[in-house]
Amino acid sequence: MGEQRKSESDSVPALRFEGFSDPWEQRKLGELCSFTKGRGYSKLDIRDSGTPLILYGRLYTQYQTRIEEVDTFSAERGGSLLSKGNEVIVPASGETAEDIAVAASVRRSGIILGGDLNVLTPEGTLDPDYVALGITYGSAHGDLAKRAQGKSVVHVHNADIEMTKLAYPSIKEQRAISAFVLRVDSLITLHQRKYEKLKTVKQSLLEKMFPKEGEDVPELRFEGFTEPWEQRKVGELVGDTYGGGTPNTSNEEYWDGPIPWIQSSNVLEDELFRANISKSITAKGLINSAAQQVPSHSIAVVTHVGVGKLVYLTFPYSTSQDFVSLSDLKGDASCLCYALYGKLQSELHMVQGSAIKGITKEELLSKSISIPCLGEQRAIGKFLKSLDSLITLHQRELEILKNLKKALLEKMFV
């Protein structure tokens, strides 16, 4: 690939594959494609087997540039629209104009194209994958989004798509762009699957490495450990507790100081050792509010908004009033985090019911969790934390790939 200065011409992208230098054309999609509409079918028509079916919602919940495998089926009815291969589909309704201005290519024949799908068939000068990419990521995306109409539900019709302008190069360069993006998508899918598989493995291990309700030993143990586990109240496993508060947000002297200050939204789901802390307070803010400075190596437990989440922090911090922090831990910190998190998650349906919106400090401290001897605690904590580190690594690689794809796509289209 080579970088090209945008000022040289507005009819070429900033980033191109080697060997391509001709300016791009720009024409209305109505001049480049034939159009039809999907017919009938909704979620109620989905069956375990039958003829493959694509519904418009797939482009929001399971978006792919190219749809090759379909996991939804239905009984075929008379008058259905079946794909011939190489169509491009655009949803006819959605929640926002930005969401609706997306497209996917359908390269297989014999797939039912359900209602609320606009269906384009590109002529010979256009690659279907490229058309889908151009509508989703190119200047055609903004053009189509402007044409979407509606408030609570936004609609796009074939007439809107026909008037939308698509910038495109030669068919050879289109195919080079499509092949590259599809390879990146495959790499992202591979990392996504690894990430999801590791999360599933972790969930399974958590269920097996801690005793089930009413039992005193887990199903899976490290070699050399045979003693029964003990039921201990959370209050017996901590030496001190700390509350939280929010300094006056309009007083600048209270904010942007040296003390990290966390809100419940900063605590990540299913991540016990990392928080996205974006705010900090000053010593003056600490003194003039209910916030407290919590010692390092403490567990911050969300007890109100987002109740059930927790994070272990190795540095001093402060929190909003939605937390109770547990300090001076009596045991392996990592193992205690996993045990307490599992307990809270198992009770989450009760905690977040219509009547109960949170838990008090007293309720938290009175909860019982199963704990083994210190040696087994350390073995469990070390193993699960290593697994979490591996999951985080795959998650970061996935985020890097997605960001790389986004950056490249911004430069590969006019």
Side-chain angles (χ1 to χ4, degrees), residues 296-326:
S296 57
H297 303 285
S298 298
I299 304 173
V301 183
V302 182
T303 54
H304 287 89
V305 181
V307 62
K309 297 189 294 183
L310 61 84
V311 62
Y312 176 74
L313 298 174
T314 58
F315 49 83
Y317 63 91
S318 59
T319 75
S320 73
Q321 57 271 24
D322 294 324
F323 290 82
V324 171
S325 289
L326 310 176

Side-chain angles (χ1 to χ4, degrees), residues 190-205:
L190 178 65
H191 279 277
Q192 183 75 44
R193 286 174 180 166
K194 287 182 178 178
Y195 171 65
E196 295 295 340
K197 187 174 182 179
L198 280 170
K199 286 182 68 176
T200 301
V201 168
K202 176 190 169 184
Q203 184 58 40
S204 177
L205 286 172

Side-chain angles (χ1 to χ4, degrees), residues 23-77:
W24 289 28
E25 292 188 50
Q26 189 175 59
R27 293 169 64 187
K28 293 176 181 178
L29 281 165
E31 301 171 17
L32 302 167
C33 305
S34 58
F35 293 78
T36 188
K37 191 87 163 50
R39 296 166 200 159
Y41 298 94
S42 68
K43 288 181 180 179
L44 297 175
D45 296 307
I46 293 176
R47 301 290 182 267
D48 293 332
S49 60
T51 305
L53 167 69
I54 296 176
L55 298 174
Y56 80 99
R58 181 193 175 107
L59 277 76
Y60 303 125
T61 61
Q62 197 179 339
Y63 177 76
Q64 296 169 290
T65 298
R66 177 195 283 182
I67 299 175
E68 293 181 291
E69 298 299 325
V70 181
D71 56 4
T72 47
F73 305 89
S74 185
E76 187 181 335
R77 300 197 294 259

Side-chain angles (χ1 to χ4, degrees), residues 27-30 35 143 147 158-166:
R27 293 169 64 187
K28 293 176 181 178
L29 281 165
F35 293 78
D143 191 0
R147 300 176 190 280
N158 276 330
D160 302 311
I161 304 171
E162 288 176 15
M163 296 301 292
T164 299
K165 291 181 180 179
L166 177 75

